[in-house]
Amino acid sequence: MFKGSITALITPMNEDGSLDLPSMSRFIDWQVQQGTSAVVPVGTTGESPTLTHDEHEKVVEFTIKSVAGRVPVIAGAGSNSTAEAVAMAKRAEQAGASGVLVVTPYYNKPTQEGVYRHFMAVADAISIPVILYNIPGRSVIDISVETMARLAQHPNIIGVKDSTANLLRPLLVRRAVKKPFNQISGEDGTAVSFLAAGGDGCISVTANVAPALCAQVQQSWTDGNTMEAMELQDRLLPLHDALFCESNPVPVKFAASVLGLMGETCRLPLAPLSDAGREKVKAALSAVGLLD
């Protein structure tokens, strides 16, 4: 089971768009030192849609090497081509990933039966854990509770990253799935609410720039300090909001650049953050106490 504050890693890039691996190495070390409980390379936040297959594999391998066993590495292995998702998952397993995060096929608009067969094909191809990634806001298709219950019967399918922001979902899934099932929020703003609904943690964008605070939210809840967790969540709320003022990961990469963690470069079609967005992100960083 994966728990706590799990960072959906941004992918550092040089101004020409090439991978900035030295910054990535420093960034991963900092994440672990700040209390992050696991990392997810090459998810949507890691700009997986614009990475080549070779770059995707390189980032996964580099992350596993840099982490050096200190925390789990859950590799992004999503595609709207089932064969491609299977190949990515196999490569992640060969590289030593702790598990894979597989997004619902986007653009194709498969039926629930197609969704079921897609995830089953991935799970059948590997022996490491598979986390379903349900984000209908980006992929259009929702994994229904009924389909999730069917998928959970596979021994390798151990949980879901839920980015629906529907707080009934973890309750319905827990009732429908007949085994321990790892439910992780994919929405920073619902992190504490999701825990209260029976969740296990959060795969977080905000943790890229506020890893210690995000980890403290999760630890406070685990320790039974409910009010402290809620107070920390309230403190982080302006940042959660600002980091989605434009398309992710543009705002969080800018925030990371302001904090001196890496450059802000994203690949097209993601454009640089607007002036209004820059002011909003900087104000949020100051409000949270991360920027003087």
Side-chain angles (χ1 to χ4, degrees), residues 184-288:
I184 306 169
S185 172
E187 294 282 346
D188 278 293
T190 70
V192 172
S193 304
F194 200 86
L195 291 169
D200 301 300
C202 182
I203 295 179
S204 170
V205 172
T206 302
N208 278 286
V209 292
L213 287 171
C214 290
Q216 193 177 348
V217 169
Q218 297 290 326
Q219 191 60 53
S220 293
W221 183 271
T222 299
D223 292 342
N225 297 326
T226 306
M227 290 306 299
E228 181 177 275
M230 293 174 67
E231 288 166 1
L232 288 166
Q233 182 77 344
D234 287 345
R235 177 179 167 187
L236 283 163
L237 190 58
L239 189 56
H240 295 331
D241 180 53
L243 295 183
F244 287 89
C245 66
E246 294 179 24
S247 299
N248 179 49
V250 175
V252 71
K253 268 199 162 177
F254 172 72
S257 74
V258 171
L259 298 177
L261 299 170
M262 65 184 69
E264 65 175 288
T265 300
C266 292
R267 289 180 179 174
L268 288 171
L270 295 179
L273 193 62
S274 67
D275 289 344
R278 289 168 187 266
E279 292 306 313
K280 185 168 187 176
V281 169
K282 286 191 286 189
L285 288 170
S286 295
V288 172

Side-chain angles (χ1 to χ4, degrees), residues 6 13 30 41 50 80 124 142 158 235 256:
I6 303 167
M13 295 175 182
W30 179 67
T50 58
N80 61 339
D124 283 342
D142 183 19
I158 60 95
R235 177 179 167 187

Side-chain angles (χ1 to χ4, degrees), residues 119-198:
F119 285 117
M120 289 293 286
V122 176
D124 283 342
I126 59 175
S127 59
I128 58 175
V130 175
I131 297 178
L132 312 174
Y133 183 10
N134 193 24
I135 182 166
R138 279 186 182 260
S139 62
V140 180
I141 297 300
D142 183 19
I143 308 172
S144 71
V145 173
E146 293 76 18
T147 299
M148 207 166 292
R150 287 180 70 197
L151 288 166
Q153 294 175 36
H154 195 293
N156 286 359
I157 297 177
I158 60 95
V160 61
K161 176 186 176 184
D162 187 322
S163 293
T164 65
N166 178 357
L167 292 171
L168 279 175
R169 270 304 178 89
L171 302 173
L172 296 172
V173 169
R174 192 165 72 249
R175 185 171 66 182
V177 173
K178 307 304 181 185
K179 72 176 187 183
F181 198 63
N182 207 182
Q183 296 202 68
I184 306 169
S185 172
E187 294 282 346
D188 278 293
T190 70
V192 172
S193 304
F194 200 86
L195 291 169

